Amino acid sequence: MTLPRDLAADALLQPTAKSAPHPIRVITSVISRTVLGSMMGLLVWAHFPVVALGWTAGVVQSGSMRPALAPGDVVLYQPPRRDRTPAVGQIVLAQDPTRPSRLLTHRVHRVLPDGDLITKGDANSTPDSTPIRPRALQGVARLRVPGIGLPVQLWRAEKPVPATMMMLGLAIVLALAALPLHSRSRSRSPYT
């Protein structure tokens, strides 16, 4: 027969059951982990063709291709085929003929008889004045990953405050995702 005093001693030795996690912690955790998972998925999606297929990735820096491409979008470009001229309407990446040290992402507006391309940004009212030679082509756009390159775009545009705020926001999301669902408060014995 068990004495009442032994029951009390056994109760002290038994681990206490954890209480249910607070709903706000669960919601915060789910949202932050969903955001991080989505960002990781977009990053993998943006880098897979680069690694596996030898494509080129670029971050859109200006709004000249709005609404098709926005600043901060990552565009994946397939290397151009040298035996084929890009068709009118395709988006291409090329060395900018007016600024050779920079790249230009515009849509093919017209193909000249000698194979040179006249391009135009979707948001621009007129086509580009200087044609692009076929050898200046770097790629033909195949895939757009929206917004994932925004921190890079802000940094390159020399806007460090918004870029820093985005990085701080990412750090907060990481911290929220890492929080445990249960608080780590000490369980108190009902007998003390």
Side-chain angles (χ1 to χ4, degrees), residues 86-149:
V88 171
Q90 286 188 306
I91 297 173
V92 295
L93 175 70
Q95 288 178 333
D96 189 336
T98 59
R99 295 177 285 182
S101 64
R102 297 187 65 177
L103 295 175
L104 174 75
T105 297
H106 276 178
R107 194 177 300 276
V108 175
H109 182 71
R110 190 172 68 210
V111 179
L112 300 176
D114 63 357
D116 287 357
L117 305 173
I118 299 294
T119 57
K120 178 183 176 292
D122 291 355
N124 297 346
S125 59
T126 60
D128 300 329
S129 59
T130 308
I132 294 175
R133 303 234 181 252
R135 68 177 177 273
L137 282 178
Q138 302 288 315
V140 178
R142 294 293 181 213
L143 182 66
R144 171 185 163 250
V145 183
I148 198 71

Side-chain angles (χ1 to χ4, degrees), residues 27-89:
I27 291 169
T28 303
S29 178
V30 167
I31 290 172
S32 59
R33 291 174 187 193
T34 301
V35 167
L36 289 174
S38 299
M39 290 174 64
M40 290 302 295
L42 287 172
L43 284 171
V44 168
W45 184 247
H47 282 86
F48 176 75
V50 172
V51 173
L53 304 173
W55 290 12
T56 302
V59 178
V60 177
Q61 295 295 315
S62 74
S64 69
M65 283 299 295
R66 284 188 187 269
L69 303 174
D73 290 352
V74 171
V75 180
L76 300 172
Y77 303 92
Q78 182 180 22
R81 292 182 56 180
R82 297 300 171 194
D83 61 338
R84 183 181 296 169
T85 303
V88 171

